[in-house]
Amino acid sequence: MGSQGKHRILMVSDFFYPNFGGVESHIYYLSQCLLELGHKVVVMTHAYGNRSGVRYMTNGLKVYYVPWKPFVMQSVLPTFSGTLPIMRTILIREKISLVHGHQAFSTLCHEALMHARTMGYKVVFTDHSLYGFSDVGSIHMNKVLQFTLADATQAICVSHTSKENTVLRSGIPAEKVYVIPNAVDTAMFKPAPERLPRDQIVIVVISRLVYRKGADLLVEVIPEVCRLHPNVRFIIGGDGPKRVRLEEMREKHSLQDRVEMLGAVPHAQVRSVLISGHIFLNSSLTEAFCIAILEAASCGLLTVSTRVGGVPEVLPDDMIVLAKPDPSDMVQAVGKAITMLPDIDPQVMHMRMKKLYSWHDVAKRTQIVYERALKCTDQSLVERLSRYLACGAWAGKLFCLVMIINYLFWCLLRLWQVLANL
Amino acid sequence: MAEKSIANSRYIYIHETGKWPSQTVDLHHVVARKSCLRNGVACLSGLVLLLSTYYSLVGKGESLYVPLLYVVIGTLFIMLSRWTLVEKGEKVEYAFDFVVRGCSLRENWLNDVGSYLVQSCCTSLSSHLSSVIIIFSPAFPSSGRSVRRFVPIDKILKPLLNECVTPVTCYWSLALILREEDELMLVFKTLRVDCWLVLLKLVEVGMATTVPKEVSSDIPLLVSAKVLPEGSRARDWCCRDSGEKYHQTLGSELPPFLYSSSVHLQKAKYRA
């Protein structure tokens, strides 16, 4: 730990700039605010194309783009102990005091937390997503999460729903999990200087066009809303495998002049798309938090969203209309939102969002979690192995074996460096 | 030629000043010491493995694969433990020569390894030194052949500290940006304490006006490295004024990212 309570934190995740998303934004903004608080923050992620090596971002945020290629879904190939040498090198040369991993889908995060615990560092894990329990993928992912969190010092979730989900999936004690919501950069997401005329209502949709984000729901909802409200038009930003379905819907119902599809929208242009609309429509089937509706509310849009996951915790009732993930319910919700529009003042909404959500507040709360993590007592290998044994009859033994091999490999690396320095 | 030297467990620093052959030169040498312990460990390991191989061959009922495995593992181990930055010669020498324009370098005086940095005129030198050339002399470890490249100091735009990341490690390397050339000139692939002195010389002559904060915070010796007067302790040789913290840092080992492993230097044409 540095002087006067300042820490040296290593953020690890497969998801970072130049990708744009909720996790990436979270890591970036949190890191920037922690730097402003006087801590040192280093980010470790995998290489993105030619972006490999060390890069420095705003305010000297150092990013290690380790040349491990992504394997599937932007995550690197799981190698168990393969990342130990580079991880150890970074931890030593940057004099890290605490490791903070992000996202359960990130292989690099899981391996980094495992190596950090092997080397005796305190670790904090932030879960950004909700996950199921019944399908094969969920079962395996939950087991991996159980392995990582069995020995994690503290954990952070972005909503109370997410905390409940994480505790149930991983078996981590609830008292070790903190809820720190995401925030929004209100300086970037400001409403338009002048209010839009309401002779034509514009509904904006910006999301990845995938199943999980409810693109299939949009296919059902949009034609019905257009039928019921002749003065409504849609602007859809984003790309994905479900884009074809939306374009087919547009062709089928002859909505070319009322449904505009922008394709992938760069993050820097999201605000300009949002301020061209009155209502923001979110049709996600699962969301731990949903930063997108925060950005829309910060731009002064009234939000219509599915009542899933942590979405009900995000905005006050007068800023959001919730509906079940069902086409007819969503059409009714859009109708209700249209009637609420005259009472909405974008500037007032923006000022409220400024007070409700702030990355500086997130950083201060995260700092408290770090301090509590660092106060936890150190544990020997035997004590830590007993936690892994509790993970299951067979899984527990397998986890113990993995940790023992990892520990031996770490000892070998230390011995190797001693020999190399002779 | 007047000579001063300071030694610690890993390096010997030799400073020579005087006239050679007719011009004034100021030579700084950093010599890495050979490690007897490492060689001893390698030999002992080899001996143990040879004996294991012998007994497994002599023993009845043993398959041939076991002794073969011993031989392979033993050979690999010995090769890895003996692997140093140069195979030929016992010492690695880096010299900083201060010469006058038009005078050729004392090639026969310098050993066959490493790169050499020649400092340009700086205010600390006396007036009879009118100009300087920068010389790089990459060497091929396996052949022992020396290749030297002369680069006029005017051609150097800026020295550059590169932080390189591989899938298993990170290291610093020193390169130069040259005028009218697209590629960087690699000076040292893996930096060691002597190479920091090289960089410091560049800083002193004003070529490197800033040192990255990351580097200066991690390597305090760079900021305050000075040539110490005769009689100074070896561990103080780079950090006379830097305080106890830095003395402890340099006490028994270098900062962790200063590797003493191989330096693969660039091929370069010999240019007079």
Side-chain angles (χ1 to χ4, degrees):
Chain A
M1 193 167 104
S3 59
Q4 298 175 358
K6 301 304 175 193
H7 312 299
R8 299 171 76 97
I9 302 141
L10 177 67
M11 302 273 190
V12 186
S13 180
D14 277 303
F15 308 102
F16 194 63
Y17 183 84
N19 271 7
F20 277 104
V23 178
E24 294 85 341
S25 304
H26 177 103
I27 297 172
Y28 176 76
Y29 285 117
L30 177 61
S31 301
Q32 289 294 326
C33 291
L34 287 170
L35 284 169
E36 282 182 27
L37 289 174
H39 303 289
K40 169 165 174 165
V41 182
V42 177
V43 179
M44 178 181 164
T45 184
H46 64 75
Y48 287 85
N50 290 336
R51 184 178 283 267
S52 174
V54 175
R55 296 283 189 275
Y56 288 88
M57 297 183 79
T58 314
N59 292 330
L61 175 63
K62 188 172 184 179
V63 185
Y64 281 86
Y65 288 96
V66 179
W68 286 75
K69 292 294 181 191
F71 176 59
V72 66
M73 291 174 65
Q74 284 295 322
S75 294
V76 298
L77 179 70
T79 57
F80 291 102
S81 298
T83 47
L84 179 56
I86 182 67
M87 183 74 190
R88 177 173 175 268
T89 304
I90 293 173
L91 286 172
I92 291 172
R93 78 202 313 251
E94 301 294 340
K95 300 185 187 68
I96 297 296
S97 56
L98 183 136
V99 178
H100 188 169
H102 292 265
Q103 189 58 314
F105 304 140
S106 167
T107 316
L108 192 63
C109 163
H110 288 293
E111 290 193 11
L113 296 187
M114 176 177 73
H115 300 323
R117 286 304 294 146
T118 299
M119 290 185 269
Y121 289 86
K122 302 292 190 297
V123 304
V124 176
F125 173 75
T126 295
D127 198 358
H128 293 263
S129 294
L130 297 178
Y131 222 49
F133 295 87
S134 56
D135 56 294
V136 173
S138 302
I139 292 170
H140 282 97
M141 181 55 69
N142 294 342
K143 212 63 187 173
V144 170
L145 190 67
Q146 193 180 15
F147 168 67
T148 301
L149 294 185
D151 200 23
T153 319
Q154 306 287 354
I156 298 173
C157 291
V158 294
S159 64
H160 290 90
T161 308
S162 176
K163 174 179 174 177
E164 192 180 331
N165 183 259
T166 300
V167 167
L168 287 172
R169 280 159 53 207
S170 65
I172 185 174
E175 56 270 16
K176 281 172 116 179
V177 184
Y178 296 82
V179 176
I180 303 177
N182 282 322
V184 63
D185 184 5
T186 49
M188 185 175 166
F189 291 94
K190 289 180 179 174
E194 292 177 4
R195 292 179 75 162
L196 295 171
R198 277 200 287 275
D199 52 344
Q200 197 173 46
I201 307 293
V202 179
I203 299 178
V204 176
V205 178
I206 296 185
S207 76
R208 284 179 293 136
L209 302 178
V210 296
Y211 168 76
R212 188 174 156 263
K213 294 294 184 182
D216 296 307
L217 267 179
L218 286 178
V219 172
E220 307 289 327
V221 166
I222 290 174
E224 191 61 21
V225 169
C226 289
R227 187 182 70 81
L228 290 173
H229 305 276
N231 62 335
V232 166
R233 68 182 187 92
F234 284 83
I235 295 177
I236 301 175
D239 204 351
K242 295 288 183 180
R243 183 176 176 175
V244 173
R245 282 207 70 195
L246 284 163
E247 286 176 348
E248 284 173 357
M249 172 272 299
R250 194 170 67 158
E251 295 293 325
K252 182 180 171 186
H253 296 278
S254 304
L255 295 172
Q256 291 88 342
D257 55 339
R258 295 182 67 185
V259 177
E260 184 183 354
M261 298 197 62
L262 303 176
V265 178
H267 190 257
Q269 292 171 19
V270 166
R271 185 239 171 201
S272 59
V273 176
L274 286 172
I275 60 173
S276 63
H278 301 84
I279 295 172
F280 180 77
L281 179 60
N282 174 52
S283 57
S284 297
L285 300 181
T286 175
E287 284 284 359
F289 185 81
C290 198
I291 289 185
I293 60 177
L294 278 189
E295 292 169 351
S298 183
C299 288
L301 277 73
L302 180 62
T303 301
V304 175
S305 175
T306 46
R307 188 185 288 113
V308 293
V311 170
E313 301 175 35
V314 177
L315 289 175
D317 293 337
D318 57 336
M319 288 188 185
I320 187 169
V321 180
L322 295 170
K324 294 179 201 169
D326 173 73
S328 55
D329 215 44
M330 288 196 68
V331 169
Q332 281 185 6
V334 169
K336 184 181 173 187
I338 292 172
T339 59
M340 286 170 65
L341 272 180
D343 301 328
I344 298 297
D345 185 343
Q347 297 293 341
V348 170
M349 195 181 271
H350 174 77
M351 295 310 296
R352 283 179 70 187
M353 289 303 298
K354 216 171 172 179
K355 287 179 190 169
L356 283 173
Y357 290 100
S358 156
W359 282 111
H360 295 282
D361 181 57
V362 171
K364 283 177 191 165
R365 292 164 77 169
T366 308
Q367 185 181 254
I368 294 172
V369 176
Y370 291 158
E371 283 160 9
R372 289 187 185 171
L374 288 167
K375 281 180 186 164
C376 292
T377 53
D378 294 329
Q379 289 179 321
S380 64
L381 178 64
V382 173
E383 287 169 336
R384 292 174 44 234
L385 287 178
S386 62
R387 290 187 181 177
Y388 290 109
L389 270 178
C391 290
W394 290 104
K397 294 176 180 64
L398 179 65
F399 294 163
C400 284
L401 182 65
V402 168
M403 291 310 292
I404 290 168
I405 293 172
N406 202 47
Y407 182 83
L408 291 173
F409 187 34
W410 175 55
C411 294
L412 186 66
L413 275 180
R414 289 165 74 195
L415 181 64
W416 182 262
Q417 185 157 25
V418 169
L419 285 176
N421 287 338
L422 286 178
Chain B
M1 295 274 280
E3 185 179 303
K4 296 176 189 174
S5 68
I6 302 169
N8 67 2
S9 60
R10 296 187 63 186
Y11 294 97
I12 303 171
Y13 172 78
I14 303 168
H15 180 208
E16 290 183 279
T17 54
K19 283 187 179 262
W20 184 91
S22 57
Q23 287 85 11
T24 302
V25 292
D26 190 359
L27 298 165
H28 302 261
H29 305 278
V30 179
V31 181
R33 283 182 145 166
K34 197 170 79 167
S35 168
C36 297
L37 179 61
R38 188 174 179 177
N39 291 339
V41 166
C43 291
L44 189 63
S45 315
L47 189 63
V48 166
L49 281 160
L50 273 174
L51 286 171
S52 308
T53 311
Y54 171 74
Y55 281 117
S56 63
L57 276 171
V58 166
K60 293 179 184 176
E62 290 277 355
S63 82
L64 198 57
Y65 293 111
V66 174
L68 276 175
L69 190 64
Y70 280 136
V71 168
V72 168
I73 293 172
T75 310
L76 279 173
F77 185 80
I78 292 169
M79 279 171 62
L80 285 171
S81 61
R82 290 286 295 154
W83 182 51
T84 56
L85 71 119
V86 285
E87 295 172 6
K88 188 166 182 173
E90 291 184 354
K91 57 180 178 177
V92 174
E93 198 161 297
Y94 296 79
F96 312 118
D97 288 340
F98 297 78
V99 300
V100 177
R101 188 194 299 276
C103 172
S104 63
L105 190 65
R106 301 187 300 167
E107 295 174 13
N108 56 344
W109 191 83
L110 297 167
N111 268 0
D112 59 344
V113 198
S115 294
Y116 306 92
L117 181 66
V118 180
Q119 190 184 6
S120 72
C121 286
C122 72
T123 53
S124 62
L125 293 177
S126 56
S127 58
H128 57 266
L129 285 179
S130 59
S131 72
V132 184
I133 15 181
I134 301 257
I135 302 169
F136 295 96
S137 175
F140 295 99
S142 54
S143 67
R145 184 164 63 97
S146 300
V147 176
R148 292 179 175 81
R149 181 179 175 182
F150 293 83
V151 179
I153 197 167
D154 296 337
K155 201 171 175 190
I156 298 176
L157 196 60
K158 199 89 176 173
L160 198 67
L161 273 179
N162 276 331
E163 194 166 4
C164 308
V165 181
T166 69
V168 292
T169 190
C170 311
Y171 57 90
W172 291 94
S173 63
L174 179 66
L176 294 180
I177 304 175
L178 300 178
R179 294 181 193 277
E180 298 171 6
E181 286 198 24
D182 294 333
E183 293 186 358
L184 298 175
M185 172 185 280
L186 183 68
V187 180
F188 297 109
K189 182 182 176 184
T190 311
L191 295 189
R192 308 180 328 176
V193 66
D194 41 2
C195 314
W196 292 116
L197 288 175
V198 170
L199 182 62
L200 184 67
K201 290 298 178 189
L202 287 168
V203 173
E204 281 183 3
V205 302
M207 294 210 70
T209 54
T210 58
V211 174
K213 189 181 168 186
E214 289 292 320
V215 172
S216 60
S217 63
D218 289 340
I219 313 177
L221 63 90
L222 178 65
V223 178
S224 58
K226 294 179 184 178
V227 176
L228 300 181
E230 199 168 345
S232 302
R233 290 182 300 162
R235 55 189 286 176
D236 295 340
W237 70 321
C238 280
C239 298
R240 181 175 63 179
D241 298 326
S242 305
E244 183 61 28
K245 182 175 78 169
Y246 302 149
H247 291 181
Q248 286 172 359
T249 302
L250 283 186
S252 58
E253 60 182 16
L254 290 171
F257 56 85
L258 283 182
Y259 296 94
S260 60
S261 55
S262 76
V263 175
H264 297 294
L265 300 171
Q266 257 187 352
K267 292 185 185 183
K269 285 185 182 175
Y270 175 81
R271 269 191 246 162

